[in-house]
Amino acid sequence: MRRLLIVDDEKNIRQGLKTMIEREFPSNYSIDTAGNGAEALELYRRERADIIITDIRMPVMDGIKLLEHLSADAGPGEGPAVVILSGYDDFEYAKSAIKYRVKDYLLKPIRRDELFDILTRIDNELNIQELTVRKLEREAEGIRRELRSSRLRGLLMKENVQLESGQQEELNGLAVPFIVGVMNYYYSDGTRMKPGEVQALIERMTGPLETMFMEILTDWDGKLVLIGSGKQSFTELSKRAESRELKGLSIGISSEGQALGDIRSCYLEACRAIEYTFLYPQSNFMDFAEVGEGRLNFPAPEEELRKLLNMLGTEREKEMKSLLAVIFQTEHLKELDLTYLETVGKKINERVLDEVFRMHGEASVEVLKLYRTVGNLYNYRHFHDYYRALEHLLISLNEYIMGVRSAHTEHADMKEALAYIEANYFRPLNMAMVSNHVSLNYSYFSEAFKAYTGESFVLYLKKVRIHHAKDLLAGSRCKLAGVSEAVGFENSKQFARVFKELEGISPGEYRAKALAEGYFARNEREL
């Protein structure tokens, strides 16, 4: 509801205007009246009005003097919307009011429709102004929040950051003590949810996070970072996630920070805490204080890693699994220092996996994809997920090495494969059929075939088919579609594309060339 002040030395006019406006706009205005400018100014200073309707000629203080005082009191863009009441002989007074940004004029006697039109227009203008102000305030608040988040993110990333006085003031509102928490959400396939999506997921459980936490930001690693006044908000969040069975959500929190300079150390504690959820499949929440000191650590298992590498490519799968459990000290898992697991994970990559590919070349796409994922412990929600994936990768590599060794040492298999291709090139042939025929694993066969022929299976088969197609084109009148079908292509379009790819000319051009060469050859013999 807007406040409206009516100023006129004639009581009947004041009351008449008030009655008309209240009847037409019953719930729009709270209306006060004043008999002169001085009385109106006192009322206005006591409680600001949005709109003032004032006469010009009045005793004690006239309307122009009132406008002067109102203008002096108002800041830039401030002050009430003013409507002047004037008679026909008050034109000179009215002209002097122009500089005070008067909205409109009403001539006495006042017509109801003019009054209502003016009030409606002023109300619309005020609505637009208020919407604009609110929009600007929201934008300014957004900029302030972004600057604040940027400052905080800088504190998270770097040690001993020196803030200027203005930047320090931006962060002074951060209450102490505080707790820093970091959050991740892992999907079942090991990929992580984006921070904005994590925030939206949490807010569906709790409502806006701004009501629970002092600061909300994202670190450079894609984790959602929350700063709260205590542990309660974080533990409540964990309980709600547990009740909703959001097993992919993990939360790590720091000890209490006592000053702005503690933000980075608290953030690092929270990051380390969330990493320790890696060891506990049944827990999605870890307090840094519970990580504890005195965790078990062991020297790097260099000798065991050497043995594991030697076992790959042999029929010692069971022994490999037992050795892997020894390497990772799985019997002490919950008491282990994460540093040990991180060290072992890194050495598995360097001393075992990288060595396999260095010595034997690249395996299948599926194996390589798994290799890239297993390369980082924290691509997995829990250690057991990582361990199972690593075990599966080692078994796959074991079979791969055995197959490659067998394929490279038994050329007879490859000769048999080439003979099978030559005998069946006109059929719907693929590499799986040929590898099955010679009883070799698909991935191993692919590597062995390329090593033996110097070409991929697909290219080799294309060349065999085109070789036979050239014989048919040169020696028969069979249509191109018939030639295509006779040598095993799915359709003549594919046949034409592959023929030109390998021979540089189309099948039709090749046939014409072959016929012309045959014609000239016959003429030469006759001569």
Side-chain angles (χ1 to χ4, degrees):
M1 182 176 286
R2 301 197 188 283
R3 299 192 65 81
L4 190 150
L5 178 57
I6 299 172
V7 190
D8 198 293
D9 57 336
E10 294 185 36
K11 184 176 181 180
N12 290 340
I13 292 178
R14 295 197 302 271
Q15 293 302 320
L17 284 171
K18 182 179 180 184
T19 301
M20 281 193 293
I21 294 170
E22 286 177 339
R23 285 177 180 171
E24 181 68 17
F25 307 102
S27 59
N28 285 27
Y29 300 101
S30 171
I31 301 175
D32 291 319
T33 62
N36 58 63
E39 185 181 339
L41 187 61
E42 184 180 347
L43 279 171
Y44 178 80
R45 285 173 174 170
R46 195 161 55 237
E47 189 164 7
R48 301 283 176 169
D50 300 298
I51 304 171
I52 295 177
I53 301 175
T54 181
D55 193 11
I56 291 182
R57 291 190 181 183
M58 294 178 293
V60 184
M61 181 186 292
D62 64 19
I64 299 302
K65 200 69 178 174
L66 171 62
L67 291 177
E68 289 179 5
H69 284 288
L70 292 174
S71 180
D73 288 354
E78 297 178 351
V82 178
V83 179
I84 292 293
L85 300 178
S86 64
Y88 284 107
D89 55 351
D90 293 333
F91 182 67
E92 290 302 320
Y93 284 96
K95 282 197 303 184
S96 64
I98 292 173
K99 64 181 178 181
Y100 298 115
R101 293 177 298 188
V102 172
K103 289 290 183 184
D104 220 319
Y105 300 89
L106 282 170
L107 289 174
K108 297 178 181 179
I110 297 167
R111 292 175 54 186
R112 294 164 56 89
D113 57 341
E114 290 183 356
L115 171 65
F116 298 155
D117 285 347
I118 288 172
L119 287 177
T120 299
R121 179 170 53 79
I122 290 174
D123 194 55
N124 289 337
E125 289 176 359
L126 291 175
N127 285 336
I128 291 171
Q129 287 177 12
E130 289 167 358
L131 287 172
T132 302
V133 168
R134 284 198 292 271
K135 181 182 177 182
L136 291 173
E137 286 175 348
R138 285 195 300 270
E139 290 174 352
E141 178 60 24
I143 292 170
R144 283 193 294 272
R145 277 184 167 276
E146 187 56 39
L147 283 173
R148 187 179 178 88
S149 294
S150 178
R151 304 288 181 232
L152 286 169
R153 199 174 291 112
L155 291 175
L156 298 183
M157 292 176 65
K158 300 177 183 176
E159 296 181 15
N160 304 319
V161 176
Q162 299 296 320
L163 297 177
E164 299 175 3
S165 59
Q167 296 171 340
Q168 182 81 30
E169 289 172 7
E170 290 174 7
L171 301 176
N172 281 343
L174 189 66
V176 292
F178 58 82
I179 300 287
V180 176
V182 296
M183 299 181 191
N184 268 331
Y185 188 98
Y186 283 87
Y187 294 107
S188 57
D189 64 357
T191 58
R192 283 196 312 178
M193 185 181 284
K194 294 178 181 179
E197 295 172 347
V198 176
Q199 182 174 344
L201 177 69
I202 294 170
E203 288 182 337
R204 284 198 290 273
M205 298 189 299
T206 65
L209 287 179
E210 288 85 352
T211 62
M212 298 176 64
F213 299 97
M214 295 183 287
E215 298 292 341
I216 305 164
L217 57 152
T218 302
D219 69 6
W220 59 95
D221 186 43
K223 295 189 291 294
L224 183 66
V225 181
L226 304 177
I227 301 177
S229 56
K231 294 182 181 180
Q232 185 175 354
S233 298
F234 293 101
T235 54
E236 176 64 25
L237 191 57
S238 173
K239 289 176 182 176
R240 292 192 186 187
E242 189 175 343
S243 68
R244 299 284 185 91
E245 296 187 350
L246 296 178
K247 296 180 181 180
L249 183 68
S250 52
I251 305 169
I253 66 170
S254 70
S255 58
E256 286 189 343
Q258 302 296 329
L260 195 60
D262 295 336
I263 285 182
R264 175 171 168 78
S265 60
C266 286
Y267 163 74
L268 294 176
E269 287 179 359
C271 289
R272 198 54 172 165
I274 201 173
E275 287 173 350
Y276 267 91
T277 63
F278 185 67
L279 298 181
Y280 302 92
Q282 305 306 318
S283 175
N284 72 339
F285 179 84
M286 183 62 65
D287 184 340
F288 184 76
E290 297 173 4
V291 170
E293 297 180 358
R295 285 187 165 266
L296 297 178
N297 211 332
F298 298 91
E302 302 287 356
E303 184 62 19
E304 288 78 4
L305 290 169
R306 186 184 65 79
K307 289 179 181 178
L308 181 63
L309 178 61
N310 288 339
M311 286 181 182
L312 286 171
T314 68
E315 296 182 355
R316 299 192 179 192
E317 185 177 308
K318 187 174 180 181
E319 292 176 55
M320 282 172 50
K321 289 182 178 180
S322 298
L323 183 58
L324 193 64
V326 172
I327 288 172
F328 277 99
Q329 299 286 345
T330 54
E331 62 179 308
H332 304 297
L333 186 62
K334 291 188 177 180
E335 294 81 35
L336 280 178
D337 191 308
L338 266 180
T339 305
Y340 177 75
L341 293 181
E342 290 165 346
T343 299
V344 172
K346 183 179 179 183
K347 287 186 176 294
I348 284 276
N349 294 339
E350 296 172 352
R351 306 289 174 82
V352 180
L353 303 180
D354 289 349
E355 277 297 300
V356 167
F357 296 118
R358 186 185 67 79
M359 291 187 294
H360 301 287
E362 292 187 349
S364 68
V365 172
E366 292 77 12
V367 172
L368 289 173
K369 184 178 179 181
L370 182 58
Y371 167 59
R372 283 192 289 270
T373 306
V374 169
N376 184 351
L377 292 168
Y378 299 116
N379 283 334
Y380 298 86
R381 175 71 176 82
H382 294 296
F383 173 77
H384 295 297
D385 300 325
Y386 163 76
Y387 190 83
R388 282 193 294 270
L390 176 60
E391 194 174 62
H392 175 60
L393 175 59
L394 290 172
I395 291 171
S396 299
L397 289 175
N398 187 57
E399 294 174 353
Y400 163 70
I401 295 170
M402 290 174 65
V404 168
R405 286 174 179 170
S406 174
H408 280 295
T409 55
E410 298 180 15
H411 284 188
D413 289 339
M414 290 300 104
K415 289 179 180 178
E416 184 180 349
L418 298 187
Y420 184 79
I421 292 170
E422 186 63 31
N424 295 276
Y425 66 88
F426 52 88
R427 303 181 185 277
L429 205 59
N430 59 44
M431 190 163 68
M433 294 169 62
V434 181
S435 62
N436 287 337
H437 176 74
V438 295
S439 302
L440 287 177
N441 175 279
Y442 181 93
S443 298
Y444 312 146
F445 177 81
S446 174
E447 288 295 324
F449 188 91
K450 189 171 183 179
Y452 187 77
T453 65
E455 296 173 337
S456 70
F457 175 86
V458 172
L459 179 58
Y460 183 88
L461 179 58
K462 284 180 181 179
K463 287 185 174 181
V464 169
R465 286 172 168 169
I466 295 302
H467 171 74
H468 287 282
K470 287 162 66 177
D471 289 342
L472 289 174
L473 289 169
S476 75
R477 293 288 182 176
C478 183
K479 292 183 178 181
L480 294 182
V483 173
S484 169
E485 183 179 354
V487 297
F489 284 98
E490 291 181 6
N491 53 63
S492 56
K493 185 176 181 181
Q494 183 196 28
F495 167 58
R497 178 179 58 77
V498 173
F499 193 99
K500 188 169 183 180
E501 175 188 315
L502 296 180
E503 299 297 325
I505 58 176
S506 70
E509 290 171 328
Y510 179 84
R511 168 171 275 172
K513 180 173 177 288
L515 289 174
E517 289 174 352
Y519 172 77
F520 286 120
R522 285 194 301 272
N523 285 345
E524 285 179 1
R525 285 196 299 272
E526 291 173 1
L527 293 173

